[in-house]
Amino acid sequence: EGAHILMKTFPAPKLRVVVNDDAIPFNREGKNVFCSFVEDCDKDIKLMDEVMVVDSSDNLIAIGRAKMLSFQTGIAVKVREGIKEA
């Protein structure tokens, strides 16, 4: 619920990590976001920030903590909770 409020408060791309469509089903299940599936992100995100994982249309997919966003491999976001489709 809090992520939906934040999305209304902060316009895209603030606090968002945009993922590739192929990753969406896995992230909705609560699986972590890997760097290779990140298409874009807020350039001001820092390590350990709470972030919202979204698709290219800014639909909420998951919430989690930023691990790394500047590398090509590894976990970009440790997902805390996947968001089921509305």
Side-chain angles (χ1 to χ4, degrees):
E1 187 62 32
H4 289 287
I5 294 169
L6 288 174
M7 288 185 72
K8 291 177 188 172
T9 305
F10 296 107
K14 189 72 173 167
L15 300 174
R16 292 165 171 81
V17 175
V18 181
V19 294
N20 182 296
D21 289 344
D22 294 338
I24 292 171
F26 300 101
N27 301 142
R28 282 195 188 278
E29 292 177 11
K31 294 188 168 75
N32 294 326
V33 176
F34 286 88
C35 290
S36 58
F37 291 100
V38 173
E39 291 186 346
D40 197 13
C41 68
D42 177 2
K43 304 305 180 210
D44 293 328
I45 292 174
K46 294 174 184 54
L47 185 66
M48 303 303 285
D49 279 354
E50 289 292 319
V51 297
M52 297 169 286
V53 179
V54 298
D55 63 14
S56 58
S57 299
D58 202 35
N59 297 309
L60 187 62
I61 305 300
I63 53 174
R65 191 171 292 249
K67 291 297 183 181
M68 65 174 78
L69 298 172
S70 60
F71 302 108
Q72 297 298 320
T73 61
I75 295 174
V77 178
K78 181 157 180 56
V79 171
R80 195 165 22 97
E81 183 177 346
I83 307 299
K84 304 298 180 205
E85 288 186 72

